[in-house]
Amino acid sequence: MNVFAAGAAHDAELGKEAGLDVEWHRPFHELLERAVEAGYGTQSIAALTEILKEPRRAA
């Protein structure tokens, strides 16, 4: 999970440089961030299923 989360900023920058709309990445990046914050950073991407089971906290 940490690898994907670390690449999120790079995705956004690459999209900007290439003139691409990568806004559709944002929900996935937010999900990755939630997973890392919840302690799943060292686990596989499959751990996202655990995050999806949890209700989203109000900001």
Side-chain angles (χ1 to χ4, degrees):
M1 207 76 72
N2 286 331
V3 171
F4 293 104
H10 178 70
D11 288 349
E13 186 60 31
L14 183 62
K16 183 178 179 181
E17 289 175 8
L20 300 172
D21 179 7
V22 292
E23 193 62 27
W24 61 274
H25 288 188
R26 186 182 305 255
F28 180 63
H29 292 166
E30 289 173 358
L31 190 60
L32 286 169
E33 185 178 309
R34 286 174 51 202
V36 170
E37 289 173 358
Y40 294 106
T42 59
Q43 296 186 23
S44 80
I45 198 77
L48 287 180
T49 58
E50 297 303 315
I51 295 302
L52 291 170
K53 292 178 188 177
E54 301 172 8
R56 192 169 199 164
R57 295 180 200 147

